[in-house]
Amino acid sequence: MAQSPQQQEIAKLIVDILNIDDVDPADIEPDAIMFDETGLGLDSIDALEIAVAIAEQYDVHISAEDEASKEIFATLGNLTAHVMQESGTLQTSS
Amino acid sequence: MSEIPIVLRGAAEVFARRDEQDISVAQFCADIEAVAAALPQARHIINLCQDRYRFTVTFFAALVRRQTNLLPAKRDIAAARNLAGQYEACSIVTDEDTPGVDHRVDFVPGTHGQATSPACLADQVAGIAFTSGSTGAPVPHPKTWQMLCDWRAVHQRYLPGPPTATRAVISTVPSWHMYGLEWAMLLPTVAPLTLYCGPDFFPRDVVAALSGFNSATVLVSTPVHLRALSRVPAPTRPVETVISATAPLDTILTRHIETHLTSRVFEIYGCSEAGSLAWRSTGTNKHWQFFDCFDVRLTDGEISVGHPLLRDKVKLADRFTEISPGAYVLEGRSSDIIKVAGKRESLTNLNAILTNIVGVEDGVIFLPEAPGPLRTTRLAAFAVAPELSTHDIKAALAEHIDPVFLPRPIRLLSALPRDKTSKIRQDTLTQLMREFDG
């Protein structure tokens, strides 16, 4: 599945912030699970880093009280959709 | 046989706040009794409760039933099942609808009436913490109820701020980690602290919790969480006291946190073997002071710590210098031991795993300089592996080592810059990493 421009932007943010430079942002499947050993292998510290980066960049503050916060972090697609919904201002990287 | 009560506070005092509801000491004790009555017959309990209040109640309920709490670092059901197989009559309990557990702790907090505090046998093993051993098998560190009670009395004495004032404690550290267990679970059983039991992981939730109490607040946290908190808007109220542990805080981050949270930062030094051992007021004093209950011996930079309740003296993984009687400077880790996200690991072990990968001709894993005071440092690696990609190497490492120790980035070289003794100096690695990062 091809990434949308917004998903490309969030994928680049994740790769930059987490220093996982053996991963090409374009290779992150929008619906692949990010936080397990077969996917990107991210852990809870990464979740914290991503949450802070998204707060800084988009002023979207993720909370455990958001409906299904675990789902938000599950995939690139879910995370992008949440940021778009909450910010309404996600710019495309074009 | 002597017994010690679980709670040493007035029945009407507030023990916890959960879902905006205050739960009194008497209600908390009644919850413990009710959960204890429903726990399965067992000698050992692995408590996987996610909710901080339910975890706390279940931990003490197991004690009431004279069961021992196993406190593994790996909390997935497969790891718990594996550990349970190594302990006699071990039950896995949780508060969620998880397949594979033996018992579900399911109750509405504060709804079992009121009770006086149950008491537990002093010499009972209350909990067993684990560290990763050199062979990869977890090494157990048992704690008797007497030990936990002695420790909580010591921590109460050292807790900064007015000892009798009612305060709230908000913790970003889970209670199954010894540091969280001591400072954000046991301490409120003796000190007038209201334990916040709501969402406490994401910065937004922590800020909301810190803003939501009328009383003064104590934040029990780690450098990782404090870095995150310092990068988002501050709580609407000052945070009276910040306690940090698991890794040393640097001066820049400490000053930033103290300004940002309008707070004073205190650090705790400890280890899984003995628990919390020393403290310092980071903003004003870089010297560590060991708690006065410990017998501290310094030999050639290595410290061993004794206590009548510890069977063996505990040798610390870090090197210290005593600059005046009782005041110690942390000189750094014994060069082999590194620490990421509160977990210790031997670089020798990690390097052996790296160089044993088929296709890796040479390699080194090291801790690079921090990317900045507000970012978490991860391990990095250089490898000589003409036939492999960095992805291959990472996948091979992931089979053997804890994810927090997976190096990122991994850089491929044609040869490593070893000196005549075939060592690689840390500054050489740092320089090489800078060249790569351009």
Side-chain angles (χ1 to χ4, degrees):
Chain A
M1 189 171 20
Q3 292 175 351
S4 68
Q6 292 84 359
Q7 288 168 343
Q8 280 172 18
E9 185 172 322
I10 298 286
K12 185 169 180 324
L13 178 140
I14 290 172
V15 167
D16 286 349
I17 200 81
L18 302 183
N19 208 3
I20 41 177
D21 52 2
D22 58 329
V23 176
D24 184 337
D27 289 344
I28 302 178
E29 292 285 335
D31 56 356
I33 303 294
M34 296 194 288
F35 286 80
D36 72 357
E37 284 163 19
T38 54
L40 290 182
L42 305 188
D43 59 26
S44 65
I45 298 175
D46 297 320
L48 209 51
E49 287 278 355
I50 295 171
V52 172
I54 282 173
E56 286 176 336
Q57 196 136 343
Y58 304 109
D59 200 25
V60 171
H61 296 266
I62 294 166
S63 160
E65 290 190 335
D66 288 331
E67 206 173 315
S69 66
K70 280 183 188 167
E71 292 294 311
I72 292 171
F73 272 96
T75 66
L76 174 64
N78 289 4
L79 185 61
T80 308
H82 179 77
V83 175
M84 285 176 70
Q85 186 186 330
E86 294 296 309
S87 72
T89 58
L90 184 62
Q91 297 182 352
T92 67
S93 47
S94 57
Chain B
M1 211 172 282
S2 69
E3 292 191 331
I4 310 171
I6 291 171
V7 191
L8 298 171
R9 291 177 60 186
E13 291 181 40
V14 178
F15 176 78
R17 180 180 291 181
R18 187 180 173 283
D19 275 350
E20 294 174 22
Q21 176 202 354
D22 284 343
I23 299 168
S24 71
V25 165
Q27 287 174 308
F28 171 58
C29 292
D31 283 345
I32 293 173
E33 298 276 20
V35 170
L39 280 180
Q41 288 285 351
R43 293 273 305 274
H44 300 92
I45 291 285
I46 300 176
N47 175 354
L48 297 182
C49 290
Q50 295 289 329
D51 177 278
R52 190 177 289 276
Y53 184 76
R54 289 201 179 98
F55 180 94
T56 305
V57 167
T58 304
F59 179 94
F60 290 119
L63 256 65
V64 169
R65 290 284 299 275
R66 304 192 177 178
Q67 297 166 340
T68 295
N69 289 281
L70 304 184
L71 304 163
K74 289 189 107 177
R75 307 254 308 155
D76 60 282
I77 189 73
R81 186 52 69 199
N82 185 26
L83 183 68
Q86 299 164 39
Y87 283 84
E88 185 192 347
C90 183
S91 287
I92 302 172
V93 304
T94 183
D95 55 350
E96 292 190 333
D97 191 11
T98 313
V101 298
D102 302 307
H103 177 75
R104 184 169 174 194
V105 177
D106 190 11
F107 68 97
V108 181
T111 56
H112 295 107
Q114 305 194 358
T116 55
S117 176
C120 303
L121 292 176
D123 60 0
Q124 177 190 338
V125 177
I128 301 180
F130 295 90
T131 49
S132 58
S134 53
T135 58
V139 179
H141 303 287
K143 320 281 173 190
T144 63
W145 179 229
Q146 177 79 61
M147 272 163 106
L148 296 184
C149 291
D150 277 24
W151 285 191
R152 71 179 174 181
V154 171
H155 302 154
Q156 186 179 15
R157 273 197 290 122
Y158 281 93
L159 179 68
T164 55
T166 300
R167 292 180 281 174
V169 59
I170 291 112
S171 173
T172 66
V173 186
S175 300
W176 42 263
H177 189 286
M178 276 311 291
Y179 164 48
L181 187 114
E182 290 183 338
W183 291 87
M185 193 178 97
L186 285 168
L187 202 49
T189 61
V190 283
L193 298 172
T194 300
L195 177 61
Y196 171 74
C197 297
D200 49 27
F201 179 77
F202 291 113
R204 178 189 179 175
D205 295 326
V206 179
V207 168
L210 289 166
S211 306
F213 280 93
N214 290 323
S215 63
T217 49
V218 177
L219 174 63
V220 174
S221 193
T222 67
V224 168
H225 273 92
L226 292 173
R227 278 187 202 102
L229 275 176
S230 68
R231 287 165 56 190
V232 300
T236 54
R237 300 166 53 83
V239 180
E240 186 205 79
T241 300
V242 171
I243 301 176
S244 177
T246 70
L249 277 175
D250 63 58
T251 314
I252 296 170
L253 181 59
T254 302
R255 291 213 184 103
H256 190 71
I257 294 162
E258 290 194 330
T259 306
H260 188 66
L261 300 180
T262 322
S263 188
R264 282 197 308 158
V265 174
F266 296 85
E267 273 181 282
I268 303 295
Y269 175 90
C271 61
S272 301
E273 293 86 338
S276 301
L277 294 167
W279 75 286
R280 66 174 176 174
S281 170
T282 314
T284 55
N285 192 344
K286 66 175 187 171
H287 306 140
W288 293 91
Q289 193 183 349
F290 282 83
F291 297 147
D292 58 12
C293 59
F294 292 108
D295 174 26
V296 180
R297 299 290 166 89
L298 178 66
T299 318
D300 297 334
E302 286 194 344
I303 284 195
S304 66
V305 175
H307 186 279
L309 293 175
L310 287 172
R311 202 174 52 188
D312 302 309
K313 282 191 178 298
V314 175
K315 211 181 213 181
L316 303 186
D318 299 295
R319 299 184 71 80
F320 287 86
T321 313
E322 190 174 23
I323 54 122
S324 63
Y328 294 84
V329 176
L330 180 58
E331 299 292 357
R333 312 235 158 250
S334 299
S335 57
D336 184 47
I337 303 295
I338 45 95
K339 201 169 181 186
V340 179
K343 296 179 179 178
R344 285 189 173 85
E345 181 55 273
S346 149
L347 277 176
T348 306
N349 286 348
L350 294 175
N351 280 314
I353 292 167
L354 172 64
T355 49
N356 282 335
I357 294 170
V358 176
V360 173
E361 296 172 3
D362 196 3
V364 60
I365 294 179
F366 66 104
L367 196 60
E369 60 185 359
L374 305 186
R375 295 283 308 280
T376 298
T377 316
R378 298 277 189 166
L379 293 175
F382 287 115
V384 180
E387 306 295 321
L388 300 180
S389 69
T390 56
H391 192 78
D392 297 332
I393 296 172
K394 194 155 117 183
L397 288 172
E399 288 178 25
H400 299 286
I401 65 182
D402 189 297
V404 300
F405 298 117
L406 282 179
R408 58 167 88 140
I410 299 171
R411 310 284 196 195
L412 291 171
L413 298 173
S414 55
L416 290 187
R418 292 189 181 276
D419 65 16
K420 286 174 191 162
T421 60
S422 95
K423 288 186 177 154
I424 311 174
R425 293 166 53 93
Q426 177 76 25
D427 51 359
T428 309
L429 294 170
T430 303
Q431 181 59 34
L432 198 56
M433 191 53 87
R434 280 202 201 112
E435 286 168 17
F436 260 101
D437 290 343

